[in-house]
Amino acid sequence: MRPIFIGLLAALFFSFAFIFNRNMELAGGSWIWSASIRFFFMLPMLLIFVHVRKQVLPVLQHIKKYPKEWIIWSTVGFSFFYAPLTFATIHAPGWLVAATFQLNIVAGSLLVPFINKSNRSIPIQSVFISIIIIIGIFMMQLEHAENVPIKAILLSVIPMIVAAISYPLGNRKMMQLVDGELNSIQRVLGMTIASMPFWILLSIFGALSHGAPTPNQLVQVFIVAVFSGVIATILFFYATDLVRHDNHKLAGVESTSTGEVVFSLLGEMLLLGFFVPSFMTIIGLILVIFGIILHSILSRIQDKRTLKSNRAVS
């Protein structure tokens, strides 16, 4: 339950990204600045935090040892994840973006045969439970998605499919590369550093096409950087590190990202004057919570089986 709880806490803080990105878009701010400036703010905060713990040098040494792998998978895990996610807020409210992003739950499990070298089996039980969660999300958003134009849905869904695949892919490949040599915070710092070339190029394009960001956008991006970029990412990476050798548990932790939908829904209701949940939305919410509970139960069952197996061997 500990990794599940940490994952849910990460989802709470990550929901700030969906809410504030949508708010900035409605206020006329460019998605390019919302995406790139977040990582420019994250970098010095992470550097200070890791430097205080005297852990910066191992990160730089590891990047120097595997520069190509760090740049590729950091760009995939951070850049190809967050840039499409932020772009999607142009065409859809935060709840729809958050709901579509939950495709990462199934994507993470289906990517196992292409990522893992030793254990290539797809966690079928976890995939079925994840589908229950996605059905719940679909029910939550069905009523409201009817009011969204088809073009807007496509321009939000396609980027979110890219984001939903990129996030677990980049995260899992980096866990394999690091293999416990760096802790979660060090890994977040390293991926932030290695993804900088992409964000610099994107910000140059943003400056040429949209001009400078407004002071109001800078303040909101700073809030997103602290809560969603630093706190949420560190918590989520820490949770996945705890179960990185178990595909079932890893799928369970990744499923906690569904909490982002619930938290984004509540946040938009409170901050943006959004809708009141209908009966269908409440049923969907129950399915989401039920799916997360099933994932935690499955993890406990796997624990007991492993324990019995170890005792039998000994």
Side-chain angles (χ1 to χ4, degrees):
M1 289 298 293
R2 184 186 175 203
I4 295 290
F5 174 77
I6 295 173
L8 284 172
L9 193 60
L12 170 62
F13 285 108
F14 196 77
S15 65
F16 279 75
F18 296 106
I19 298 168
F20 280 89
N21 283 343
R22 179 59 175 174
N23 187 51
M24 285 184 280
E25 181 59 35
L26 293 175
S30 169
W31 70 272
I32 294 176
W33 292 125
S34 298
S36 58
I37 294 177
R38 161 181 154 159
F39 286 86
F40 294 146
F41 279 143
M42 282 174 59
L43 182 58
M45 288 188 285
L46 289 168
L47 276 172
I48 293 172
F49 190 83
V50 178
H51 175 71
V52 169
R53 304 176 67 176
K54 299 180 180 179
Q55 296 177 335
V56 174
L57 185 59
V59 177
L60 299 179
Q61 290 174 336
H62 206 282
I63 294 175
K64 184 178 179 180
K65 188 177 181 180
Y66 305 101
K68 182 176 71 175
E69 291 84 353
W70 270 97
I71 292 175
I72 291 174
W73 297 118
S74 296
T75 302
V76 170
F78 275 6
S79 306
F80 292 172
F81 145 64
Y82 198 68
L85 182 149
T86 312
F87 173 80
T89 59
I90 299 175
H91 305 285
W95 56 263
L96 187 57
V97 174
T100 310
F101 180 63
Q102 302 318 306
L103 290 170
N104 81 95
I105 301 168
V106 177
S109 297
L110 295 179
L111 286 169
V112 168
F114 306 99
I115 299 176
N116 287 9
K117 296 179 180 179
S118 57
N119 183 4
R120 294 178 177 271
S121 61
I122 295 176
I124 300 298
Q125 292 170 309
S126 297
V127 171
F128 280 124
I129 294 173
S130 297
I131 290 173
I132 293 175
I133 294 173
I134 290 177
I135 290 173
I137 294 168
F138 178 77
M139 291 179 65
M140 288 175 64
Q141 314 306 339
L142 181 61
E143 170 189 359
H144 312 291
E146 292 176 354
N147 300 320
V148 179
I150 296 296
K151 180 181 178 181
I153 292 177
L154 291 176
L155 290 175
S156 61
V157 168
I158 293 175
M160 289 312 302
I161 290 175
V162 174
I165 295 174
S166 299
Y167 192 58
L169 176 60
N171 184 25
R172 292 189 179 205
K173 292 297 290 187
M174 285 308 306
M175 281 193 292
Q176 286 184 346
L177 179 66
V178 171
D179 195 24
E181 294 182 38
L182 304 175
N183 60 37
S184 303
I185 302 174
Q186 288 175 304
R187 184 155 60 93
V188 175
L189 172 61
M191 291 180 71
T192 303
I193 294 173
S195 66
M196 273 299 128
F198 177 90
W199 299 119
I200 292 172
L201 290 174
L202 185 64
S203 64
I204 292 173
F205 174 74
L208 295 175
S209 58
H210 298 283
T214 64
N216 181 54
Q217 187 173 17
L218 288 174
V219 171
Q220 293 191 65
V221 173
F222 179 78
I223 295 172
V224 172
V226 173
F227 288 100
S228 179
V230 177
I231 298 176
T233 306
I234 290 174
L235 286 173
F236 183 77
F237 278 20
Y238 175 62
T240 54
D241 274 343
L242 290 175
V243 295
R244 67 182 184 274
H245 298 302
D246 190 314
N247 291 332
H248 290 278
K249 293 180 182 179
L250 190 56
V253 170
E254 288 176 341
S255 74
T256 60
S257 64
T258 55
E260 297 161 8
V261 183
V262 180
F263 298 132
S264 297
L265 185 67
L266 295 175
E268 290 197 359
M269 285 171 57
L270 294 174
L271 301 178
L272 305 181
F274 215 57
F275 56 86
V276 177
S278 65
F279 177 75
M280 183 74 75
T281 301
I282 294 173
I283 296 298
L285 178 57
I286 292 173
L287 281 178
V288 169
I289 296 172
F290 178 65
I292 294 174
I293 293 173
L294 283 180
H295 263 301
S296 65
I297 293 174
L298 180 62
S299 295
R300 294 292 292 273
I301 293 173
Q302 293 297 324
D303 271 340
K304 291 180 180 179
R305 288 177 180 173
T306 302
L307 184 60
K308 287 181 180 179
S309 177
N310 291 339
R311 286 177 177 174
V313 172
S314 61

